[in-house]
Amino acid sequence: MAVQVTQFPTTPKGRRTRSRLLASARRVLARDGYVSLKMVDVADEADVSLGALYRYFRNKEDLFRALVDGIHEALFEASRAPNKELATDPMGALLEANRGYLSLYSENRDVMRALIEASTVDKRFRSVWWAMRNRHVDRFVGALKTKCGIDEVDGVPARLVAEAMAAMVEQCAYVWFAQEEQLNEHPVSVDEAARVVTRIWHDAFFESAARSDAAAETDRSRSIKDL
């Protein structure tokens, strides 16, 4: 069952109020997490009545979904590589895409941390997280096939490899940014993070393809010599 979000306000004042409520919700989320989030705490943080908050959001699921939806779209756009071409500069394209994703993830670590928490206790947000993940994987696998002609990696479907790579990036981002204060003795910069995960992505898809091409060429040469 999907989380239904209330209608977006149409007046400038209504939009400003909604934005203020969302900003207050983020502060409460950063402090308390998703499970402990209470509408009354958000209303107190925003200095509005509880009734005023409910005029904009029916419940905390509605409120949180509004936060997640905006960040989902922003993450999807940030993880494009408009200045690099995957077919001719795969390392550059992957680095640009990963840097964009990780930078925005870091900026929104409070909501991303809460989303992972919410996905473990509420199947509706597990579905939201899964849809976000699949959307990124679908785009990459499509580009890999159409631009690079790659649909397998060492005999394994490229989508399966892309899912593994996506899981790696998600977990790295969660450890390095969403749980930075709890888990990291030494902070990891966005640039360091992007370079590390990009090297792994590149080696998984493009170094493997190069090895396969070299092996195929060797086999062809041997066949010719055997004639």
Side-chain angles (χ1 to χ4, degrees):
M1 179 181 177
V3 178
Q4 298 298 319
V5 181
T6 48
Q7 186 175 357
F8 196 86
T10 58
T11 66
K13 181 180 179 181
R15 290 192 291 270
R16 287 194 300 270
T17 300
R18 184 179 186 274
S19 295
R20 183 159 62 91
L21 294 172
L22 289 173
S24 297
R26 287 189 66 150
R27 292 192 293 272
V28 176
L29 273 172
R31 183 188 71 215
D32 299 338
Y34 174 77
V35 171
S36 298
L37 177 69
K38 296 181 176 62
M39 293 291 275
V40 65
D41 292 336
V42 175
D44 289 345
E45 181 71 23
D47 195 25
V48 300
S49 69
L50 189 58
L53 176 59
Y54 277 115
R55 283 199 293 272
Y56 288 85
F57 303 101
R58 284 188 289 268
N59 49 45
K60 83 170 188 177
E61 292 80 13
D62 186 17
L63 174 60
F64 184 56
R65 179 63 187 268
L67 281 171
V68 170
D69 281 350
I71 292 172
H72 174 197
E73 288 302 321
L75 278 173
F76 192 70
E77 290 302 315
S79 57
R80 294 183 184 277
N83 302 307
K84 302 290 182 179
E85 182 58 52
L86 187 66
T88 58
D89 185 10
M91 179 69 83
L94 289 168
L95 182 61
E96 184 176 14
N98 281 318
R99 182 178 285 125
Y101 176 88
L102 291 167
S103 178
L104 200 66
Y105 189 111
S106 179
E107 293 172 11
N108 294 281
R109 64 187 70 185
D110 50 354
V111 178
M112 298 306 295
R113 180 172 59 247
L115 176 58
I116 298 304
E117 181 186 358
S119 71
T120 65
V121 298
D122 190 326
K123 64 181 181 181
R124 294 170 295 185
F125 287 111
R126 187 161 58 248
S127 296
V128 169
W129 163 74
W130 190 247
M132 290 173 64
R133 190 177 194 274
N134 282 340
R135 191 179 180 196
H136 284 84
V137 171
D138 288 344
R139 180 174 63 185
F140 177 75
V141 171
L144 195 67
K145 173 65 175 177
T146 58
K147 296 182 178 183
C148 306
I150 297 173
D151 56 10
E152 287 189 354
V153 177
D154 292 335
V156 177
R159 182 178 180 84
L160 186 60
V161 181
E163 288 176 350
M165 293 296 100
M168 176 200 68
V169 174
E170 288 173 340
Q171 184 65 14
C172 287
Y174 182 76
V175 171
W176 289 337
F177 304 126
Q179 294 289 349
E180 180 179 23
E181 295 180 0
Q182 289 75 21
L183 301 179
N184 283 315
E185 182 179 353
H186 303 290
V188 178
S189 71
V190 169
D191 185 63
E192 288 175 316
R195 286 189 286 113
V196 167
V197 301
T198 295
R199 170 56 63 186
I200 298 171
W201 272 86
H202 184 270
D203 288 357
F205 290 101
F206 296 97
E207 290 300 322
S208 176
R211 289 193 299 270
S212 296
D213 290 344
E217 183 61 32
T218 299
D219 289 343
R220 283 194 294 270
S221 297
R222 288 174 177 169
S223 297
I224 291 172
K225 288 180 181 179
D226 291 340
L227 292 177

CSV table of all heavy atoms in Angstrom, one decimal, residues 28-82:
chain,number,residue,atom,x,y,z
A,28,VAL,N,14.0,17.5,13.5
A,28,VAL,CA,13.5,16.5,14.4
A,28,VAL,C,14.0,15.1,14.0
A,28,VAL,O,14.4,14.3,14.9
A,28,VAL,CB,12.0,16.5,14.5
A,28,VAL,CG1,11.5,15.4,15.5
A,28,VAL,CG2,11.5,17.9,15.1
A,29,LEU,N,14.0,14.8,12.7
A,29,LEU,CA,14.5,13.5,12.2
A,29,LEU,C,15.9,13.3,12.6
A,29,LEU,O,16.4,12.3,13.0
A,29,LEU,CB,14.3,13.4,10.7
A,29,LEU,CG,12.9,12.9,10.2
A,29,LEU,CD1,12.9,13.0,8.7
A,29,LEU,CD2,12.7,11.4,10.6
A,30,ALA,N,16.7,14.4,12.3
A,30,ALA,CA,18.1,14.3,12.6
A,30,ALA,C,18.4,14.0,14.1
A,30,ALA,O,19.4,13.4,14.4
A,30,ALA,CB,18.8,15.6,12.2
A,31,ARG,N,17.5,14.5,14.9
A,31,ARG,CA,17.7,14.4,16.4
A,31,ARG,C,17.2,13.1,16.9
A,31,ARG,O,17.8,12.4,17.7
A,31,ARG,CB,17.0,15.6,17.1
A,31,ARG,CG,17.2,15.6,18.6
A,31,ARG,CD,16.3,16.6,19.2
A,31,ARG,NE,14.9,16.3,19.1
A,31,ARG,CZ,13.9,17.2,18.9
A,31,ARG,NH1,14.2,18.5,18.7
A,31,ARG,NH2,12.7,16.8,18.8
A,32,ASP,N,16.0,12.7,16.4
A,32,ASP,CA,15.2,11.6,17.0
A,32,ASP,C,15.1,10.3,16.1
A,32,ASP,O,14.9,9.2,16.6
A,32,ASP,CB,13.8,12.0,17.3
A,32,ASP,CG,13.8,13.1,18.4
A,32,ASP,OD1,14.8,13.3,19.1
A,32,ASP,OD2,12.8,13.9,18.4
A,33,GLY,N,15.3,10.5,14.8
A,33,GLY,CA,15.1,9.3,13.9
A,33,GLY,C,13.7,9.2,13.5
A,33,GLY,O,12.8,9.8,14.0
A,34,TYR,N,13.5,8.2,12.6
A,34,TYR,CA,12.1,8.0,12.0
A,34,TYR,C,11.2,7.4,13.1
A,34,TYR,O,10.0,7.9,13.2
A,34,TYR,CB,12.1,7.2,10.8
A,34,TYR,CG,10.8,6.8,10.3
A,34,TYR,CD1,10.0,7.8,9.6
A,34,TYR,CD2,10.2,5.6,10.5
A,34,TYR,CE1,8.7,7.5,9.1
A,34,TYR,CE2,8.9,5.3,10.1
A,34,TYR,CZ,8.2,6.2,9.4
A,34,TYR,OH,6.9,6.0,9.0
A,35,VAL,N,11.6,6.4,13.7
A,35,VAL,CA,10.7,5.6,14.6
A,35,VAL,C,10.2,6.5,15.7
A,35,VAL,O,9.0,6.5,16.1
A,35,VAL,CB,11.4,4.4,15.2
A,35,VAL,CG1,10.6,3.7,16.3
A,35,VAL,CG2,11.7,3.4,14.1
A,36,SER,N,11.1,7.4,16.2
A,36,SER,CA,10.7,8.2,17.4
A,36,SER,C,10.1,9.6,16.9
A,36,SER,O,9.7,10.4,17.8
A,36,SER,CB,11.9,8.5,18.3
A,36,SER,OG,12.4,7.3,18.8
A,37,LEU,N,10.0,9.8,15.7
A,37,LEU,CA,9.4,11.0,15.2
A,37,LEU,C,8.0,11.2,15.6
A,37,LEU,O,7.2,10.3,15.4
A,37,LEU,CB,9.5,11.1,13.6
A,37,LEU,CG,8.9,12.3,12.9
A,37,LEU,CD1,9.7,13.6,13.2
A,37,LEU,CD2,8.8,12.1,11.4
A,38,LYS,N,7.6,12.3,16.2
A,38,LYS,CA,6.2,12.6,16.6
A,38,LYS,C,5.8,13.9,16.0
A,38,LYS,O,6.5,14.9,15.9
A,38,LYS,CB,6.1,12.7,18.1
A,38,LYS,CG,6.4,11.4,18.8
A,38,LYS,CD,6.2,11.6,20.3
A,38,LYS,CE,6.5,10.2,21.1
A,38,LYS,NZ,7.8,9.7,20.9
A,39,MET,N,4.5,13.9,15.5
A,39,MET,CA,4.0,15.1,14.9
A,39,MET,C,4.0,16.3,15.8
A,39,MET,O,4.3,17.4,15.4
A,39,MET,CB,2.6,14.8,14.4
A,39,MET,CG,2.5,13.8,13.2
A,39,MET,SD,3.2,14.5,11.7
A,39,MET,CE,1.8,15.4,11.0
A,40,VAL,N,3.7,16.0,17.1
A,40,VAL,CA,3.7,17.1,18.1
A,40,VAL,C,5.1,17.8,18.2
A,40,VAL,O,5.2,19.0,18.4
A,40,VAL,CB,3.2,16.7,19.4
A,40,VAL,CG1,4.1,15.6,20.1
A,40,VAL,CG2,3.0,17.8,20.4
A,41,ASP,N,6.2,17.0,18.1
A,41,ASP,CA,7.5,17.5,18.1
A,41,ASP,C,7.8,18.4,16.9
A,41,ASP,O,8.5,19.4,17.0
A,41,ASP,CB,8.5,16.4,18.2
A,41,ASP,CG,8.4,15.6,19.6
A,41,ASP,OD1,7.9,16.2,20.5
A,41,ASP,OD2,8.8,14.4,19.6
A,42,VAL,N,7.3,18.0,15.8
A,42,VAL,CA,7.5,18.8,14.6
A,42,VAL,C,6.8,20.1,14.7
A,42,VAL,O,7.3,21.2,14.4
A,42,VAL,CB,7.1,18.0,13.3
A,42,VAL,CG1,7.2,18.9,12.1
A,42,VAL,CG2,7.9,16.7,13.1
A,43,ALA,N,5.5,20.0,15.2
A,43,ALA,CA,4.8,21.3,15.4
A,43,ALA,C,5.5,22.2,16.4
A,43,ALA,O,5.6,23.4,16.1
A,43,ALA,CB,3.4,20.9,15.9
A,44,ASP,N,6.0,21.6,17.4
A,44,ASP,CA,6.8,22.5,18.4
A,44,ASP,C,8.0,23.1,17.8
A,44,ASP,O,8.3,24.3,18.0
A,44,ASP,CB,7.2,21.6,19.6
A,44,ASP,CG,6.0,21.3,20.5
A,44,ASP,OD1,4.9,21.9,20.3
A,44,ASP,OD2,6.1,20.3,21.3
A,45,GLU,N,8.7,22.3,17.0
A,45,GLU,CA,9.9,22.8,16.3
A,45,GLU,C,9.6,23.9,15.4
A,45,GLU,O,10.4,24.9,15.2
A,45,GLU,CB,10.6,21.6,15.6
A,45,GLU,CG,11.9,22.0,14.9
A,45,GLU,CD,13.0,22.3,15.8
A,45,GLU,OE1,13.0,21.8,17.0
A,45,GLU,OE2,14.0,23.0,15.4
A,46,ALA,N,8.5,23.8,14.7
A,46,ALA,CA,8.1,24.8,13.7
A,46,ALA,C,7.3,26.0,14.4
A,46,ALA,O,7.0,27.0,13.7
A,46,ALA,CB,7.2,24.2,12.6
A,47,ASP,N,7.0,25.8,15.6
A,47,ASP,CA,6.3,26.9,16.4
A,47,ASP,C,4.9,27.1,15.8
A,47,ASP,O,4.5,28.2,15.5
A,47,ASP,CB,7.1,28.2,16.4
A,47,ASP,CG,6.5,29.1,17.5
A,47,ASP,OD1,5.9,28.7,18.5
A,47,ASP,OD2,6.7,30.4,17.4
A,48,VAL,N,4.2,26.0,15.5
A,48,VAL,CA,2.8,26.1,15.0
A,48,VAL,C,2.0,25.1,15.8
A,48,VAL,O,2.5,24.3,16.6
A,48,VAL,CB,2.7,25.7,13.5
A,48,VAL,CG1,3.5,26.6,12.6
A,48,VAL,CG2,3.1,24.2,13.3
A,49,SER,N,0.7,25.2,15.7
A,49,SER,CA,-0.2,24.3,16.5
A,49,SER,C,-0.2,23.0,15.8
A,49,SER,O,0.1,22.9,14.6
A,49,SER,CB,-1.6,24.9,16.5
A,49,SER,OG,-2.2,24.8,15.2
A,50,LEU,N,-0.5,21.9,16.5
A,50,LEU,CA,-0.6,20.6,15.9
A,50,LEU,C,-1.6,20.6,14.8
A,50,LEU,O,-1.5,19.9,13.8
A,50,LEU,CB,-0.9,19.6,17.0
A,50,LEU,CG,-0.8,18.1,16.6
A,50,LEU,CD1,0.6,17.7,16.1
A,50,LEU,CD2,-1.2,17.2,17.8
A,51,GLY,N,-2.7,21.3,15.0
A,51,GLY,CA,-3.8,21.4,14.0
A,51,GLY,C,-3.3,22.0,12.7
A,51,GLY,O,-3.7,21.5,11.6
A,52,ALA,N,-2.4,23.0,12.8
A,52,ALA,CA,-1.9,23.6,11.7
A,52,ALA,C,-1.0,22.6,10.9
A,52,ALA,O,-1.0,22.6,9.6
A,52,ALA,CB,-1.1,24.8,12.0
A,53,LEU,N,-0.2,21.8,11.6
A,53,LEU,CA,0.6,20.8,10.9
A,53,LEU,C,-0.3,19.8,10.2
A,53,LEU,O,0.0,19.4,9.1
A,53,LEU,CB,1.5,20.1,12.0
A,53,LEU,CG,2.4,19.0,11.5
A,53,LEU,CD1,3.3,19.5,10.4
A,53,LEU,CD2,3.2,18.4,12.6
A,54,TYR,N,-1.4,19.4,10.8
A,54,TYR,CA,-2.2,18.4,10.2
A,54,TYR,C,-3.0,18.9,9.0
A,54,TYR,O,-3.5,18.2,8.2
A,54,TYR,CB,-3.2,17.8,11.2
A,54,TYR,CG,-2.6,16.7,12.1
A,54,TYR,CD1,-2.4,16.9,13.4
A,54,TYR,CD2,-2.2,15.5,11.5
A,54,TYR,CE1,-1.9,15.9,14.2
A,54,TYR,CE2,-1.7,14.5,12.2
A,54,TYR,CZ,-1.5,14.7,13.6
A,54,TYR,OH,-1.0,13.7,14.4
A,55,ARG,N,-3.0,20.2,8.9
A,55,ARG,CA,-3.7,20.8,7.6
A,55,ARG,C,-2.8,20.5,6.4
A,55,ARG,O,-3.3,20.5,5.3
A,55,ARG,CB,-3.9,22.3,7.8
A,55,ARG,CG,-5.2,22.6,8.7
A,55,ARG,CD,-5.6,24.0,8.5
A,55,ARG,NE,-4.7,25.0,9.0
A,55,ARG,CZ,-4.7,25.4,10.2
A,55,ARG,NH1,-5.6,25.0,11.1
A,55,ARG,NH2,-3.8,26.3,10.6
A,56,TYR,N,-1.5,20.3,6.6
A,56,TYR,CA,-0.5,20.1,5.5
A,56,TYR,C,-0.2,18.7,5.4
A,56,TYR,O,0.1,18.2,4.3
A,56,TYR,CB,0.7,21.0,5.8
A,56,TYR,CG,0.5,22.4,5.5
A,56,TYR,CD1,0.0,23.3,6.6
A,56,TYR,CD2,0.7,23.0,4.3
A,56,TYR,CE1,-0.2,24.6,6.4
A,56,TYR,CE2,0.5,24.4,4.1
A,56,TYR,CZ,0.0,25.2,5.1
A,56,TYR,OH,-0.2,26.5,4.9
A,57,PHE,N,-0.1,17.9,6.5
A,57,PHE,CA,0.3,16.5,6.4
A,57,PHE,C,-0.6,15.7,7.3
A,57,PHE,O,-0.8,16.0,8.5
A,57,PHE,CB,1.7,16.4,6.9
A,57,PHE,CG,2.7,17.2,6.1
A,57,PHE,CD1,3.2,18.4,6.6
A,57,PHE,CD2,3.1,16.8,4.8
A,57,PHE,CE1,4.0,19.2,5.8
A,57,PHE,CE2,4.0,17.6,4.1
A,57,PHE,CZ,4.4,18.8,4.6
A,58,ARG,N,-1.2,14.6,6.8
A,58,ARG,CA,-2.1,13.8,7.5
A,58,ARG,C,-1.5,13.1,8.7
A,58,ARG,O,-2.2,12.8,9.7
A,58,ARG,CB,-2.8,12.8,6.6
A,58,ARG,CG,-3.9,13.4,5.7
A,58,ARG,CD,-4.6,12.3,4.9
A,58,ARG,NE,-3.8,11.7,4.0
A,58,ARG,CZ,-3.7,12.1,2.7
A,58,ARG,NH1,-4.4,13.1,2.3
A,58,ARG,NH2,-2.9,11.4,1.8
A,59,ASN,N,-0.3,12.6,8.6
A,59,ASN,CA,0.4,11.9,9.6
A,59,ASN,C,1.9,11.9,9.3
A,59,ASN,O,2.4,12.5,8.4
A,59,ASN,CB,-0.1,10.4,9.6
A,59,ASN,CG,-0.1,9.8,8.2
A,59,ASN,OD1,0.8,10.0,7.4
A,59,ASN,ND2,-1.2,9.1,7.8
A,60,LYS,N,2.7,11.2,10.2
A,60,LYS,CA,4.1,11.3,10.0
A,60,LYS,C,4.6,10.6,8.8
A,60,LYS,O,5.6,11.0,8.2
A,60,LYS,CB,4.8,10.8,11.3
A,60,LYS,CG,5.0,9.3,11.4
A,60,LYS,CD,5.9,9.0,12.5
A,60,LYS,CE,6.3,7.5,12.6
A,60,LYS,NZ,7.3,7.2,13.7
A,61,GLU,N,3.9,9.6,8.3
A,61,GLU,CA,4.2,8.9,7.1
A,61,GLU,C,4.1,9.8,5.9
A,61,GLU,O,5.0,9.9,5.0
A,61,GLU,CB,3.4,7.6,6.9
A,61,GLU,CG,3.6,6.5,7.9
A,61,GLU,CD,2.9,6.7,9.2
A,61,GLU,OE1,2.0,7.6,9.3
A,61,GLU,OE2,3.2,6.0,10.2
A,62,ASP,N,3.0,10.6,5.9
A,62,ASP,CA,2.8,11.6,4.8
A,62,ASP,C,3.9,12.6,4.8
A,62,ASP,O,4.4,13.0,3.8
A,62,ASP,CB,1.4,12.2,5.1
A,62,ASP,CG,0.9,13.1,4.0
A,62,ASP,OD1,1.5,13.1,2.9
A,62,ASP,OD2,0.0,13.9,4.3
A,63,LEU,N,4.2,13.1,6.0
A,63,LEU,CA,5.2,14.1,6.2
A,63,LEU,C,6.6,13.6,5.7
A,63,LEU,O,7.3,14.3,4.9
A,63,LEU,CB,5.3,14.5,7.6
A,63,LEU,CG,6.4,15.5,8.1
A,63,LEU,CD1,6.3,16.8,7.4
A,63,LEU,CD2,6.3,15.7,9.6
A,64,PHE,N,6.9,12.4,6.1
A,64,PHE,CA,8.2,11.8,5.8
A,64,PHE,C,8.3,11.5,4.3
A,64,PHE,O,9.3,11.8,3.6
A,64,PHE,CB,8.5,10.6,6.6
A,64,PHE,CG,9.9,10.0,6.3
A,64,PHE,CD1,11.0,10.7,6.5
A,64,PHE,CD2,10.0,8.7,5.9
A,64,PHE,CE1,12.3,10.2,6.3
A,64,PHE,CE2,11.3,8.1,5.7
A,64,PHE,CZ,12.4,8.9,5.9
A,65,ARG,N,7.2,11.1,3.7
A,65,ARG,CA,7.2,10.8,2.3
A,65,ARG,C,7.4,12.0,1.5
A,65,ARG,O,8.1,12.0,0.4
A,65,ARG,CB,5.9,10.1,1.9
A,65,ARG,CG,5.7,9.8,0.4
A,65,ARG,CD,6.8,8.8,-0.1
A,65,ARG,NE,6.8,8.6,-1.5
A,65,ARG,CZ,6.1,7.7,-2.2
A,65,ARG,NH1,5.3,6.9,-1.5
A,65,ARG,NH2,6.1,7.6,-3.5
A,66,ALA,N,6.9,13.2,1.9
A,66,ALA,CA,7.2,14.4,1.2
A,66,ALA,C,8.6,14.8,1.2
A,66,ALA,O,9.2,15.3,0.2
A,66,ALA,CB,6.3,15.5,1.9
A,67,LEU,N,9.3,14.5,2.3
A,67,LEU,CA,10.7,14.8,2.4
A,67,LEU,C,11.5,13.8,1.4
A,67,LEU,O,12.4,14.3,0.7
A,67,LEU,CB,11.3,14.6,3.8
A,67,LEU,CG,11.0,15.7,4.8
A,67,LEU,CD1,11.4,15.2,6.2
A,67,LEU,CD2,11.8,16.9,4.5
A,68,VAL,N,11.1,12.6,1.5
A,68,VAL,CA,11.9,11.6,0.7
A,68,VAL,C,11.7,11.8,-0.8
A,68,VAL,O,12.6,11.7,-1.6
A,68,VAL,CB,11.4,10.2,1.1
A,68,VAL,CG1,11.9,9.1,0.1
A,68,VAL,CG2,11.8,9.8,2.5
A,69,ASP,N,10.5,12.2,-1.2
A,69,ASP,CA,10.2,12.3,-2.7
A,69,ASP,C,11.1,13.4,-3.3
A,69,ASP,O,11.6,13.3,-4.4
A,69,ASP,CB,8.7,12.7,-2.9
A,69,ASP,CG,7.8,11.4,-2.8
A,69,ASP,OD1,8.4,10.3,-2.8
A,69,ASP,OD2,6.6,11.6,-2.8
A,70,GLY,N,11.2,14.5,-2.6
A,70,GLY,CA,12.0,15.6,-3.1
A,70,GLY,C,13.5,15.2,-3.2
A,70,GLY,O,14.1,15.5,-4.2
A,71,ILE,N,14.0,14.5,-2.2
A,71,ILE,CA,15.4,14.1,-2.3
A,71,ILE,C,15.6,13.0,-3.3
A,71,ILE,O,16.6,12.9,-4.0
A,71,ILE,CB,15.8,13.6,-0.9
A,71,ILE,CG1,15.8,14.8,0.1
A,71,ILE,CG2,17.2,12.9,-0.9
A,71,ILE,CD1,16.0,14.5,1.5
A,72,HIS,N,14.6,12.1,-3.5
A,72,HIS,CA,14.7,11.1,-4.5
A,72,HIS,C,14.9,11.7,-5.9
A,72,HIS,O,15.8,11.3,-6.6
A,72,HIS,CB,13.4,10.2,-4.5
A,72,HIS,CG,13.4,9.2,-5.6
A,72,HIS,ND1,12.2,8.6,-6.0
A,72,HIS,CD2,14.3,8.7,-6.5
A,72,HIS,CE1,12.4,7.8,-7.0
A,72,HIS,NE2,13.7,7.9,-7.3
A,73,GLU,N,14.1,12.7,-6.2
A,73,GLU,CA,14.3,13.3,-7.5
A,73,GLU,C,15.6,14.0,-7.7
A,73,GLU,O,16.3,14.0,-8.7
A,73,GLU,CB,13.1,14.3,-7.8
A,73,GLU,CG,11.8,13.7,-8.0
A,73,GLU,CD,11.8,12.7,-9.2
A,73,GLU,OE1,12.5,13.1,-10.2
A,73,GLU,OE2,11.2,11.6,-9.2
A,74,ALA,N,16.0,14.7,-6.6
A,74,ALA,CA,17.3,15.4,-6.6
A,74,ALA,C,18.5,14.4,-6.8
A,74,ALA,O,19.4,14.7,-7.5
A,74,ALA,CB,17.4,16.2,-5.3
A,75,LEU,N,18.4,13.3,-6.1
A,75,LEU,CA,19.5,12.3,-6.2
A,75,LEU,C,19.5,11.7,-7.6
A,75,LEU,O,20.6,11.5,-8.1
A,75,LEU,CB,19.2,11.2,-5.2
A,75,LEU,CG,19.7,11.4,-3.7
A,75,LEU,CD1,19.2,10.2,-2.9
A,75,LEU,CD2,21.2,11.5,-3.7
A,76,PHE,N,18.4,11.5,-8.2
A,76,PHE,CA,18.3,10.9,-9.5
A,76,PHE,C,19.0,11.9,-10.5
A,76,PHE,O,19.7,11.5,-11.4
A,76,PHE,CB,16.9,10.6,-9.9
A,76,PHE,CG,16.8,9.7,-11.1
A,76,PHE,CD1,17.2,8.4,-11.1
A,76,PHE,CD2,16.3,10.3,-12.3
A,76,PHE,CE1,17.0,7.6,-12.3
A,76,PHE,CE2,16.2,9.5,-13.5
A,76,PHE,CZ,16.5,8.2,-13.4
A,77,GLU,N,18.7,13.1,-10.4
A,77,GLU,CA,19.3,14.1,-11.3
A,77,GLU,C,20.7,14.3,-11.0
A,77,GLU,O,21.5,14.5,-11.9
A,77,GLU,CB,18.5,15.5,-11.2
A,77,GLU,CG,17.1,15.4,-11.7
A,77,GLU,CD,17.1,15.0,-13.2
A,77,GLU,OE1,17.9,15.5,-14.0
A,77,GLU,OE2,16.2,14.2,-13.6
A,78,ALA,N,21.1,14.3,-9.8
A,78,ALA,CA,22.5,14.6,-9.4
A,78,ALA,C,23.4,13.5,-9.9
A,78,ALA,O,24.6,13.7,-10.1
A,78,ALA,CB,22.6,14.8,-7.9
A,79,SER,N,22.9,12.3,-10.0
A,79,SER,CA,23.7,11.1,-10.4
A,79,SER,C,23.8,10.9,-11.9
A,79,SER,O,24.2,9.8,-12.4
A,79,SER,CB,23.2,9.8,-9.7
A,79,SER,OG,21.9,9.6,-10.0
A,80,ARG,N,23.4,11.9,-12.7
A,80,ARG,CA,23.7,11.9,-14.1
A,80,ARG,C,25.1,12.4,-14.4
A,80,ARG,O,25.8,12.9,-13.5
A,80,ARG,CB,22.7,12.9,-14.8
A,80,ARG,CG,21.2,12.4,-14.8
A,80,ARG,CD,20.4,13.4,-15.6
A,80,ARG,NE,19.0,13.1,-15.4
A,80,ARG,CZ,18.3,12.2,-16.2
A,80,ARG,NH1,19.0,11.5,-17.1
A,80,ARG,NH2,17.0,11.9,-16.0
A,81,ALA,N,25.6,12.2,-15.6
A,81,ALA,CA,26.9,12.6,-16.0
A,81,ALA,C,26.8,13.4,-17.3
A,81,ALA,O,27.1,13.0,-18.4
A,81,ALA,CB,27.8,11.5,-16.2
A,82,PRO,N,26.2,14.7,-17.2
A,82,PRO,CA,25.9,15.4,-18.5
A,82,PRO,C,27.2,15.9,-19.2
A,82,PRO,O,27.1,16.2,-20.4
A,82,PRO,CB,25.1,16.6,-18.0
A,82,PRO,CG,25.6,16.8,-16.5
A,82,PRO,CD,25.8,15.4,-16.0
